[in-house]
Amino acid sequence: MLQVQQLFKEMNGRQILNDINFVIEDGGSLAIVGESGSGKSTLAQLIMALKQPTSGHIIFNGQHLPRKGIKAYKKWYRDIQIVFQNTASTLNPALSLFKCLEEPLINFTGLNRTERKKRILEYLDKIGLREELLTSRPGKLSGGQYQRACLAKALMIHPKLLICDEIVSNLDIVLQQRIIELLKSIQQEQGLSLLFITHDLSLVPGLCQDILVMKDGRKIEQFHTSDLHNERARDAYTITLLKSAEMLESKWRMNET
């Protein structure tokens, strides 16, 4: 499905990504983990054709990353959707939530207005938002509601690949777990491929099949999630990330009690 081959990205004379390679199979899931500045978000932007690589290849279902042409980009964005960490600009503050959610259905599907409303109500139910919120402006939503609405907007057109870029990092632990469980259920239901970007390894088990660890724009290692706690096989940097995640998880549990 998604192939990233020998990907390099240089910005302002600095190497941001250095020889990144991985594959996500149809229906598969990969977590990309690393601290801030490791190049994770830049990688997501390249896959979404928001930036162009310095060299290398991004191929999705046999199609290379588009470099120009509205039709090529529209097909790319129809099949690949992304939810960002900073969602404040995702929903137009001047429109109602209904209009915000209807927009991708107008742009990427042939559904009529009745069918669009039915799809919107279907996904509101999936993500656990009340129908009354559809008349509200996005600014009236809580942080958790806003993030779930952004997730619904990305999923409603039935993309083949969903990229989640630190989508729960600004939420509390309870909301984080709700979003993770939601992602699990929708991924299974829609046969969705998932690229989950995070700095927190504790969020990955149970959600993603494989983990790719990045540091300073480089791929440190990639392994099956079941091998996460195999410290003999893991790189020292991965173990450091894991210990940090375990400390945060312990702190959250103490705060809950």
Side-chain angles (χ1 to χ4, degrees), residues 209-224:
Q209 298 162 343
D210 294 285
I211 299 172
L212 187 155
V213 179
M214 288 181 62
K215 186 177 189 297
D216 298 329
R218 295 178 178 272
K219 176 179 174 179
I220 300 299
E221 61 177 341
Q222 183 174 346
F223 51 90
H224 194 275

Side-chain angles (χ1 to χ4, degrees), residues 20-36:
I20 302 298
N21 297 271
F22 64 85
V23 173
I24 301 178
E25 300 292 349
D26 188 13
S29 54
L30 174 69
I32 295 185
V33 184
E35 59 193 333
S36 297

Side-chain angles (χ1 to χ4, degrees), residues 130-142:
R130 304 186 313 276
E131 183 177 348
E132 308 89 81
L133 292 172
L134 287 175
T135 57
S136 300
R137 299 285 177 89
K140 298 293 185 180
L141 303 179
S142 70

Side-chain angles (χ1 to χ4, degrees), residues 21-253:
N21 297 271
F22 64 85
V23 173
I24 301 178
E25 300 292 349
D26 188 13
S29 54
L30 174 69
I32 295 185
V33 184
E35 59 193 333
S36 297
S38 60
K40 307 186 305 296
S41 291
T42 299
L43 176 59
Q45 291 168 357
L46 292 178
I47 295 171
M48 288 303 299
L50 299 175
K51 296 179 179 177
Q52 291 292 331
T54 303
S55 63
H57 303 281
I58 298 173
I59 306 168
F60 185 73
N61 279 351
Q63 178 188 356
H64 283 259
L65 180 77
R67 294 186 179 273
K68 59 181 179 179
I70 294 174
K71 287 185 178 179
Y73 280 112
K74 188 168 183 177
K75 176 68 166 63
W76 196 261
Y77 295 140
R78 169 64 182 81
D79 290 339
I80 306 176
Q81 285 284 300
I82 186 167
V83 181
F84 291 103
Q85 173 184 7
N86 181 11
T87 58
S89 60
T90 302
L91 305 178
N92 189 331
L95 301 179
S96 67
L97 179 59
F98 180 87
K99 289 292 186 183
C100 291
L101 297 179
E102 188 182 32
E103 184 181 21
L105 295 176
I106 293 173
N107 291 334
F108 294 107
T109 75
L111 299 179
N112 61 37
R113 182 172 174 80
T114 300
E115 292 168 334
R116 293 196 298 267
K117 184 174 181 180
K118 183 179 179 182
R119 179 76 62 87
I120 289 170
L121 292 176
E122 175 191 347
Y123 273 82
L124 274 191
D125 182 61
K126 287 180 189 293
I127 64 173
L129 291 183
R130 304 186 313 276
E131 183 177 348
E132 308 89 81
L133 292 172
L134 287 175
T135 57
S136 300
R137 299 285 177 89
K140 298 293 185 180
L141 303 179
S142 70
Q145 289 172 332
Y146 198 107
Q147 191 64 286
R148 280 181 283 167
C150 292
L151 191 56
K153 183 181 178 183
L155 289 169
M156 279 194 302
I157 62 171
H158 296 172
K160 295 175 182 175
L161 171 67
L162 178 68
I163 302 174
C164 297
D165 186 8
E166 296 278 11
I167 67 168
V168 297
S169 62
N170 294 330
L171 303 178
D172 63 44
I173 182 64
V174 175
L175 286 174
Q176 283 186 346
Q177 291 304 317
R178 286 179 183 170
I179 296 292
I180 296 297
E181 291 302 319
L182 178 62
L183 278 173
K184 287 181 191 177
S185 63
I186 291 178
Q187 185 192 10
Q188 292 173 0
E189 181 183 320
Q190 295 186 189
L192 189 69
S193 297
L194 178 66
L195 178 59
F196 187 77
I197 296 172
T198 182
H199 64 275
D200 186 352
L201 267 171
S202 68
L203 299 172
V204 176
L207 178 62
C208 294
Q209 298 162 343
D210 294 285
I211 299 172
L212 187 155
V213 179
M214 288 181 62
K215 186 177 189 297
D216 298 329
R218 295 178 178 272
K219 176 179 174 179
I220 300 299
E221 61 177 341
Q222 183 174 346
F223 51 90
H224 194 275
T225 305
S226 62
D227 289 329
L228 175 60
H229 294 279
N230 183 0
E231 293 194 7
R232 287 187 177 182
R234 296 285 62 81
D235 186 89
Y237 177 65
T238 303
I239 294 172
T240 300
L241 291 176
L242 182 59
K243 298 298 183 186
S244 298
E246 289 173 346
M247 287 174 64
L248 282 173
E249 203 169 10
S250 297
K251 186 177 180 180
W252 285 330
R253 286 173 181 166

